[in-house]
Amino acid sequence: MQNQIRLNINNDEVLENQYYINEIRRTNDDFFLSFNEKKKFHIITYGCQMNEHDSEKLTAMLKNMGYEETDSYETADIIIFNTCAVRENAELRVYGNLGHIKHIKKTKKDLILAVSGCMMQQPHIVEEIKKKYKYVDLVFGTHNVHNFPKLLSSVYEEKKQIIEVWNSEGRILEGMPYERKLGLKAYVNIMYGCNNFCTYCIVPYTRGRERSREKENIIDEVNKLVQDGVKEITLLGQNVNSYGTTFEELYDFADLLEDVSKIDGIERIRFMTSHPKDLSDKLIYIIKDNPKVCEYVHLPIQSGSNAILKSMNRKYTREDYLEIVRKLKENIPNVSLSTDIIIGFPGETEEDVDATIELIEEVGYDSAFTFIYSKREGTPAARFEQHIPNDVQHKRFEKMLSVLNKTVIARNKTRMGEVYEVLVEDRAKKDTDFLIGRSRENYLITFKGSNDLIGKLVDVKITNPKNFSMEGEIINTPVL
Ligand code: SAH
Ligand code: SF4
Ligand code: F3S
């Protein structure tokens, strides 16, 4: 399902870009009348949901300008790489792909190549593009996505490389129309940027300072999503627990969860990411008491060693973290926990890794995202001493991962015979009898059933807990 969402369109920047949208659309309409086909665009998105969301905005603007989406480089007239800077390998992939496009550009002179996103917020990257990738037509950053129509118009007019990267975030711009692929589930941004400056992390530099969206705009967006059939929403921010700290009135993340849960038609509410330093008791009670808020918390630990946590500037200790986990488990017996872990941070010892491994076993995570530390230019940790050699990082990573996998698999195996409420999302694969969905705890579950169950909540009893997913059978079929 595709839909367009408009939120109070009323300010000058929106109107200015609307002007450029209309202008380009007129040219594209003429093209269509002459050739009976539309010009096409292809967007490649790297990184997190913030970037996916920006790509949705770009998609909407391009469609409004009369372009049509295509999923191949070869057929596109405009290619956009929306980049991520969080780890080096994400950046290397972008450079590799830009090299590939160079060949296509040789035969297709009119092709427009744009790069945007977090990588572009770093001046040394923009310099690199200017020097080595002269065939890139347009460079813009995370703070001026909304200006894309104006920038594209300049590319057509000026026929030279256009670079416009804003280095500060300004205010939150509500009201840009955007198109999203809607299914049963949708992400909703509740805040942008980050103030935490973990010493390894580039995000505060690429996404700017933390800004919370007004609750009215969030509620308005969720209401519209519900009208379009969305049943589950995930509220997004780099640290949702500090939502609202810049507001004059006292209104925090737990209050927002309460208000969103009052919206009729929303059946499940999830959120991420929770920074452990800001997770309040009030939030724990809302997860416990509010039936729409799912019993799943993504709570990145990063390291189980206090020395490393301090050096990472995470502002909590191992003991603080374990205390939050204890409270969560005490109040919400079926709570499911996932985390992020970084191995190979500068100064890390074997004992630090062992501390992380012990913590993994103690908490009993249901899943985890694991990373090898990647040096990011401009972050404090890049200047730290004692960077860990690559082969040592990899050895430590493997050691941690084998324990993590064992823990996750062992937990999964205990779920034989348990019953979970599952939101049915789709067929598990093409041409199979199996459907797939997630439980409130975010467990991935497959089971036999017919297509008309898609979009429904069903109870599934686990008959075959596998390593990282579970198979089961429906024990109640809703009235269809
Ligand atoms: N705001 C979220 C996460 C944002 S980035 C939070 O605070 O948890 C997602 C994850 O990428 C981080 O949790 C961290 O584990 C990882 N990460 C960030 N910078 C990294 C780096 N330089 N090297 C390796 N992993 C990194
Ligand atoms: Fe990065 Fe830390 Fe902010 Fe997360 S909280 S985005 S890890 S600086
Ligand atoms: Fe996201 Fe990557 Fe930027 S994780 S905020 S797209 S650096």
Side-chain angles (χ1 to χ4, degrees):
M1 194 187 338
Q2 295 265 333
N3 204 350
Q4 196 168 90
I5 293 165
R6 282 172 189 275
L7 309 163
N8 33 318
I9 301 177
N10 58 5
N11 64 52
D12 293 348
E13 262 170 298
V14 176
L15 289 177
E16 191 189 10
N17 276 289
Q18 195 61 52
Y19 166 81
Y20 288 104
I21 288 177
N22 293 341
E23 198 173 66
I24 296 176
R25 172 151 209 133
R26 274 193 292 276
T27 317
N28 280 337
D29 286 348
D30 289 345
F31 180 87
F32 183 72
L33 286 177
S34 312
F35 299 101
N36 202 23
E37 67 171 303
K38 285 187 175 182
K39 289 202 171 175
K40 299 184 180 59
F41 68 92
H42 181 44
I43 304 181
I44 303 96
T45 309
Y46 300 85
C48 67
Q49 295 89 359
M50 306 293 158
N51 259 17
E52 277 175 31
H53 198 55
D54 286 345
S55 291
E56 285 178 343
K57 292 180 197 159
L58 291 168
T59 299
M61 290 187 252
L62 281 156
K63 288 191 175 170
N64 285 351
M65 287 185 265
Y67 297 95
E68 174 177 273
E69 196 165 10
T70 168
D71 56 9
S72 80
Y73 292 134
E74 284 73 19
T75 52
D77 301 284
I78 299 180
I79 298 176
I80 304 176
F81 287 103
N82 194 8
T83 65
C84 166
V86 82
R87 280 170 294 276
E88 193 185 11
N89 52 9
E91 295 192 349
L92 293 178
R93 274 194 297 158
V94 170
Y95 286 131
N97 282 330
L98 284 179
H100 176 60
I101 306 297
K102 186 177 184 180
H103 298 295
I104 306 180
K105 272 212 112 177
K106 277 193 187 136
T107 51
K108 198 170 179 180
K109 294 274 179 252
D110 292 343
L111 174 66
I112 290 178
L113 175 58
V115 278
S116 61
C118 287
M119 271 173 82
M120 301 308 124
Q121 292 298 139
Q122 305 171 92
H124 71 277
I125 303 259
V126 175
E127 281 311 308
E128 182 94 352
I129 302 261
K130 265 198 227 166
K131 245 192 273 157
K132 296 199 189 144
Y133 300 87
K134 294 198 167 69
Y135 54 94
V136 169
D137 300 288
L138 171 63
V139 173
F140 59 103
T142 59
H143 302 308
N144 60 335
V145 172
H146 61 275
N147 251 3
F148 173 68
K150 186 175 170 186
L151 294 170
L152 183 62
S153 165
S154 312
V155 171
Y156 282 124
E157 295 267 304
E158 297 180 32
K159 303 206 166 22
K160 60 170 197 193
Q161 191 174 56
I162 305 278
I163 298 181
E164 190 172 316
V165 179
W166 295 8
N167 57 12
S168 88
E169 58 273 9
R171 67 211 144 80
I172 296 175
L173 193 74
E174 300 285 351
M176 286 302 284
Y178 64 91
E179 186 130 351
R180 38 168 59 168
K181 293 188 182 74
L182 286 180
L184 294 169
K185 310 201 288 189
Y187 290 121
V188 176
N189 268 107
I190 61 166
M191 55 211 293
Y192 300 95
C194 182
N195 284 355
N196 291 309
F197 292 96
C198 303
T199 53
Y200 51 82
C201 186
I202 197 77
V203 172
Y205 308 91
T206 63
R207 290 273 162 183
R209 292 296 66 71
E210 186 179 286
R211 291 95 68 205
S212 297
R213 284 178 74 192
E214 297 290 333
K215 74 168 182 217
E216 289 77 13
N217 290 322
I218 298 171
I219 306 256
D220 195 20
E221 183 176 343
V222 177
N223 264 315
K224 290 183 175 117
L225 288 169
V226 173
Q227 284 162 23
D228 291 321
V230 168
K231 298 202 165 155
E232 177 181 304
I233 54 153
T234 304
L235 304 177
L236 286 181
Q238 298 296 353
N239 175 14
V240 290
N241 297 330
S242 68
Y243 174 81
T245 41
T246 47
F247 293 163
E248 268 170 29
E249 64 165 333
L250 276 180
Y251 187 84
D252 63 15
F253 180 56
D255 298 325
L256 180 70
L257 277 176
E258 278 294 17
D259 281 341
V260 171
S261 75
K262 288 182 192 139
I263 298 174
D264 271 349
I266 275 296
E267 305 207 16
R268 286 176 167 188
I269 304 169
R270 301 187 189 278
F271 52 89
M272 70 191 298
T273 295
S274 284
H275 195 304
K277 77 179 168 63
D278 297 314
L279 194 142
S280 65
D281 289 352
K282 190 170 161 191
L283 179 66
I284 297 179
Y285 298 135
I286 297 243
I287 306 172
K288 177 183 177 200
D289 296 329
N290 191 313
K292 291 190 181 177
V293 180
C294 289
E295 296 82 359
Y296 166 58
V297 184
H298 180 61
L299 196 63
I301 176 74
Q302 313 297 1
S303 168
S305 149
N306 279 338
I308 297 290
L309 286 172
K310 187 151 198 288
S311 174
M312 286 177 163
N313 191 31
R314 289 291 289 180
K315 301 196 182 82
Y316 54 84
T317 62
R318 172 193 178 94
E319 292 72 28
D320 297 335
Y321 186 93
L322 288 171
E323 176 58 13
I324 299 171
V325 170
R326 191 194 62 74
K327 275 194 214 160
L328 279 164
K329 288 185 174 175
E330 181 181 276
N331 286 285
I332 314 156
N334 64 330
V335 71
S336 149
L337 297 172
S338 65
T339 200
D340 290 351
I341 292 167
I342 299 177
I343 293 290
F345 187 74
E348 180 193 77
T349 61
E350 290 294 336
E351 289 72 42
D352 293 325
V353 181
D354 290 342
T356 302
I357 290 175
E358 270 169 39
L359 182 132
I360 290 173
E361 289 177 310
E362 188 168 342
V363 173
Y365 290 109
D366 295 292
S367 63
F369 300 94
T370 50
F371 309 102
I372 288 177
Y373 169 72
S374 171
K375 186 174 170 180
R376 306 285 64 214
E377 207 170 295
T379 62
R383 297 188 300 273
F384 287 1
E385 284 167 10
Q386 288 181 290
H387 278 263
I388 310 293
N390 224 258
D391 55 331
V392 179
Q393 285 184 319
H394 278 89
K395 259 193 219 129
R396 292 178 179 175
F397 185 80
E398 290 307 322
K399 180 173 160 192
M400 178 280 299
L401 196 61
S402 75
V403 176
L404 174 69
N405 284 346
K406 257 189 237 152
T407 322
V408 171
I409 292 168
R411 285 180 67 77
N412 232 15
K413 298 283 182 199
T414 62
R415 303 205 172 104
M416 181 75 182
E418 302 270 313
V419 175
Y420 294 102
E421 178 204 274
V422 176
L423 177 62
V424 189
E425 287 175 23
D426 207 344
R427 297 228 73 82
K429 286 187 201 134
K430 260 193 188 164
D431 305 324
T432 161
D433 296 344
F434 282 88
L435 294 166
I436 192 162
R438 285 196 183 259
S439 72
R440 296 175 60 86
E441 300 82 357
N442 211 34
Y443 303 146
L444 198 60
I445 302 180
T446 57
F447 44 92
K448 280 190 178 158
S450 56
N451 275 357
D452 45 14
L453 290 175
I454 294 173
K456 304 276 182 316
L457 289 169
V458 295
D459 288 331
V460 176
K461 184 174 176 178
I462 303 306
T463 51
N464 180 13
K466 300 179 173 178
N467 287 350
F468 300 102
S469 65
M470 297 186 256
E471 217 173 270
E473 54 193 36
I474 297 182
I475 56 169
N476 75 334
T477 310
V479 184
L480 296 168

